[in-house]
Amino acid sequence: MIINAFLNKTTFYNKHLINLNFIKSTRLNKLIGVYLIKWIVKNTFFKFFNPNLKMKRKMELNELENLRKEMTFAEINHLIAFICLTIFAIFKVLHGYFLLALLLMFVNTLMNLYPSLLQQENKRRIDKLKKLFIS
């Protein structure tokens, strides 16, 4: 979160990271299970973790833009955590702790990579809604 707070103020963040998309295909997202993670987040205790990321039935354009900014911030936080934990897992592999590294990467993927992909999918949906507002 500290790294993201510093990145947030850079031009790199505002030019590149706010529009970051790893997987642009909705079909591929379904195939790798992003929609399963979406269901888990919506229907379990995970929904209480970040209440700022809830969409209301009726929202104004500026509210959609604020929601998108919050989603981008959460997405970058998850990506930074994913990268840091991946580096840690690589060090564990180098020291011979293969099972620990595998477990770390499994949990890391579920808890950091998938939420980031879910935020990217949600941002694309918000962008479609913003286009409806503008036209």
Side-chain angles (χ1 to χ4, degrees), residues 108-128:
N108 190 21
T109 301
L110 286 178
M111 300 303 282
N112 288 314
L113 185 61
Y114 272 100
S116 182
L117 293 174
L118 180 59
Q119 295 301 349
Q120 289 178 8
E121 179 72 25
N122 289 337
K123 285 190 325 184
R124 284 191 294 275
R125 290 174 49 217
I126 286 176
D127 289 342
K128 287 179 187 175

Side-chain angles (χ1 to χ4, degrees), residues 5 7 11 18 21-24 38-39 41 51 53 56 59 65 76 82-83 92 100 115 122 124-126 132:
L7 275 176
T11 56
I18 60 170
N21 265 324
F22 294 131
I23 301 172
K24 295 181 181 178
K38 180 180 180 177
W39 184 89
V41 168
L53 299 181
K56 302 172 204 162
M59 294 183 85
E65 289 172 356
I76 302 302
F82 180 77
I83 291 167
K92 288 301 173 188
L100 176 62
N122 289 337
R124 284 191 294 275
R125 290 174 49 217
I126 286 176
L132 288 175

Side-chain angles (χ1 to χ4, degrees), residues 90-101:
I90 290 170
F91 280 120
K92 288 301 173 188
V93 165
L94 294 175
H95 288 91
Y97 295 102
F98 302 109
L99 189 58
L100 176 62

Side-chain angles (χ1 to χ4, degrees), residues 42 47-48 50-56 59 67 71:
K42 283 175 64 175
K47 66 183 169 190
F48 301 114
N50 199 344
N52 296 336
L53 299 181
K54 291 199 181 187
M55 193 164 170
K56 302 172 204 162
M59 294 183 85
L67 181 61
M71 284 185 178

Side-chain angles (χ1 to χ4, degrees), residues 82-92 105:
F82 180 77
I83 291 167
C84 290
L85 206 57
T86 300
I87 292 168
F88 183 73
I90 290 170
F91 280 120
K92 288 301 173 188
M105 284 309 298

Side-chain angles (χ1 to χ4, degrees), residues 11-70:
T11 56
F12 177 75
Y13 185 91
N14 293 319
K15 271 188 168 181
H16 302 289
L17 293 181
I18 60 170
N19 295 317
L20 189 65
N21 265 324
F22 294 131
I23 301 172
K24 295 181 181 178
S25 167
T26 304
R27 185 171 164 228
L28 186 56
N29 272 339
K30 285 181 183 177
L31 213 93
I32 63 171
V34 171
Y35 287 91
L36 175 65
I37 299 298
K38 180 180 180 177
W39 184 89
I40 291 170
V41 168
K42 283 175 64 175
N43 296 308
T44 63
F45 63 91
F46 287 109
K47 66 183 169 190
F48 301 114
F49 280 174
N50 199 344
N52 296 336
L53 299 181
K54 291 199 181 187
M55 193 164 170
K56 302 172 204 162
R57 286 273 182 208
K58 291 187 178 183
M59 294 183 85
E60 299 292 324
L61 183 59
N62 63 345
E63 290 175 314
L64 282 176
E65 289 172 356
N66 288 336
L67 181 61
R68 192 181 190 291
K69 285 179 186 175
E70 287 286 330

